[in-house]
Amino acid sequence: MGLRKDIGIDLGTASVEVYIKGKGIVLQEPSVVAIERSSGKLLKVGKEAQDMLGRTPDSILTIRPLRDGVISDYDVTERMLRDFIRKSAGVQILKPRIIVCVPSGITEVEERAVIDAGIQAGASKVYLIEEPIAAAIGAGIDISQPNGNLVIDIGGGTADIAVISLSGAVITESIKVAGDRFDEAVIKYMRHERDVLIGEQTAEEMKIKIGCVFPPEEETSMDVVGRSLQTGLPERVTVTSTEMMDAFEEPVERIMEAVLQVLERTPPELVADISGNGIVMTGGGSLVRGFDRLMAVRTGIPTVIADEPILCVAKGTGMSLDSLRDMQDGTLNLSRRKRFG
């Protein structure tokens, strides 16, 4: 038994995955924390806290401490990380080295917050890796080759698009439009078009069950219970996948625009590589029905969804633990500063 377990963490807006070297992904929990309002005491973390969302009395506060891919509540993030590290690694004699995945559009202040939270949560050193690079590694792409690959990672808070060659991102674009915006779009659609108010969890369930972004071969529908804006009473309505396609139109267009802009900025040789290699989509957002088909139609480039797309970033983050020695600057493709801790 080793004295130290190095850890890879995908610190996502919607969920946190923890990868331990030699074991793989050992923890996958929603990024939600429940706190007692009066004392600030941590009550529940992860799945148990998520089940309380929208259902708590005034004395309990449920918080999602990450917003749009970055830390919005530093103290809560650090406590959540500490809890997850303890759950997955147990008690260690040596503090672990941790590699954390961050969006490619992260600012230096946001980066520093991630590093500090990792150190406070018990790491000896914190390294950073960019989401699309981690996603590419986790999707099984050999990023060390002089060969262009386009990876689109659609998470909960951000969509990260990158052209990767020779272990680095040549062109990147990170936009704060992803899974959460899809849920918001569903809530907005139901309010305006159906006069019904629904909660976040219902919106997410609709996205997963009947959400689509490309005309479906067969129409699917589901019954949803919300609060009628007319009467204030519960109302059951049937929603179709075509309605979901209308609801998603705005966030989908934003993502498509970003992808087309990345392709426009890509050097011609790499564009030629990409059209041969195809586009690889990862992240939970890529699972919305028809996204790969829409991408292929709009770009003219064959598109595939990676195996286990939700876990690609975590797997890639964990697999890059093997390269820690080579990461003198403490980051993969975020070469602004030295390593920390």
Side-chain angles (χ1 to χ4, degrees):
M1 141 138 193
L3 299 180
R4 167 167 46 206
K5 300 182 181 115
D6 288 336
I7 298 175
I9 298 177
D10 174 14
L11 190 60
T13 304
S15 65
V16 174
E17 283 86 31
V18 178
Y19 181 112
I20 290 187
K21 198 168 172 176
K23 287 191 179 173
I25 293 170
V26 295
L27 180 137
Q28 185 181 14
E29 294 258 10
S31 323
V32 184
V33 176
I35 285 175
E36 192 171 61
R37 206 185 280 269
S38 57
S39 64
K41 184 173 158 231
L42 207 62
L43 298 174
K44 301 283 182 198
V45 176
K47 174 81 179 80
E48 290 176 324
Q50 187 186 41
D51 291 343
M52 298 163 84
L53 273 176
R55 296 190 168 94
T56 57
D58 278 352
S59 58
I60 297 173
L61 198 58
T62 44
I63 301 172
R64 291 181 63 183
L66 293 126
R67 205 79 207 141
D68 298 335
V70 294
I71 294 175
S72 62
D73 188 320
Y74 175 82
D75 176 53
V76 174
T77 301
E78 183 224 304
R79 289 159 75 184
M80 178 177 78
L81 266 179
R82 190 185 293 272
D83 189 82
F84 287 153
I85 290 168
R86 190 179 44 75
K87 265 187 200 161
S88 30
V91 177
Q92 298 199 54
I93 295 171
L94 293 176
K95 288 183 164 188
R97 292 181 302 180
I98 292 181
I99 182 161
V100 183
C101 189
V102 292
S104 50
I106 194 168
T107 66
E108 294 203 6
V109 172
E110 290 163 347
E111 235 178 272
R112 185 75 246 179
V114 173
I115 289 153
D116 289 345
I119 299 286
Q120 291 300 321
S124 62
K125 280 194 172 57
V126 176
Y127 299 85
L128 301 178
I129 179 170
E130 279 182 304
E131 253 159 38
I133 302 256
I137 297 170
I141 296 169
D142 181 357
I143 64 167
S144 63
Q145 298 302 311
N147 189 351
N149 284 283
L150 179 60
V151 176
I152 301 167
D153 177 60
I154 305 172
T158 61
D160 283 84
I161 304 137
V163 175
I164 297 167
S165 177
L166 288 168
S167 298
V170 184
I171 309 280
T172 62
E173 184 66 60
S174 179
I175 59 169
K176 293 178 168 148
V177 178
D180 285 354
R181 289 297 165 88
F182 280 63
D183 297 346
E184 285 165 22
V186 174
I187 292 170
K188 192 170 152 189
Y189 179 88
M190 292 298 287
R191 196 171 59 228
H192 291 312
E193 303 297 323
R194 304 297 298 268
D195 272 352
V196 171
L197 198 60
I198 57 165
E200 277 177 37
Q201 282 179 296
T202 304
E204 186 174 22
E205 197 186 332
M206 291 165 71
K207 174 179 74 180
I208 292 166
K209 286 194 174 158
I210 59 166
C212 68
V213 297
F214 195 80
E217 280 161 21
E218 55 186 273
E219 183 83 277
T220 53
S221 65
M222 89 181 252
D223 285 351
V224 176
V225 177
R227 187 167 77 227
S228 163
L229 289 171
Q230 303 290 335
T231 64
L233 298 171
E235 185 180 342
R236 181 182 292 273
V237 292
T238 302
V239 185
T240 66
S241 47
T242 304
E243 285 182 279
M244 293 294 280
M245 203 166 79
D246 293 343
F248 289 156
E249 189 177 355
E250 192 196 358
V252 167
E253 274 311 307
R254 294 276 309 280
I255 292 170
M256 291 308 310
E257 267 170 39
V259 171
L260 295 170
Q261 279 171 359
V262 165
L263 283 167
E264 276 169 23
R265 287 158 46 205
T266 303
E269 280 78 6
L270 292 176
V271 170
D273 291 345
I274 292 163
S275 62
N277 293 331
I279 293 170
V280 176
M281 293 182 75
T282 65
S286 67
L287 290 172
V288 177
R289 268 181 214 82
F291 224 145
D292 50 343
R293 291 183 62 192
L294 180 72
M295 196 61 68
V297 166
R298 295 284 294 273
T299 60
I301 300 168
T303 302
V304 296
I305 294 168
D307 292 340
E308 295 189 295
I310 292 175
L311 299 180
C312 279
V313 169
K315 281 199 283 196
T317 304
M319 286 157 77
S320 65
L321 286 166
D322 294 336
S323 325
L324 280 186
R325 284 198 192 120
D326 312 329
M327 293 172 68
Q328 269 80 18
D329 64 350
T331 58
L332 263 188
N333 216 58
L334 279 167
S335 49
R336 292 201 280 263
R337 273 176 327 292
K338 299 266 175 269
R339 68 181 167 206
F340 299 96

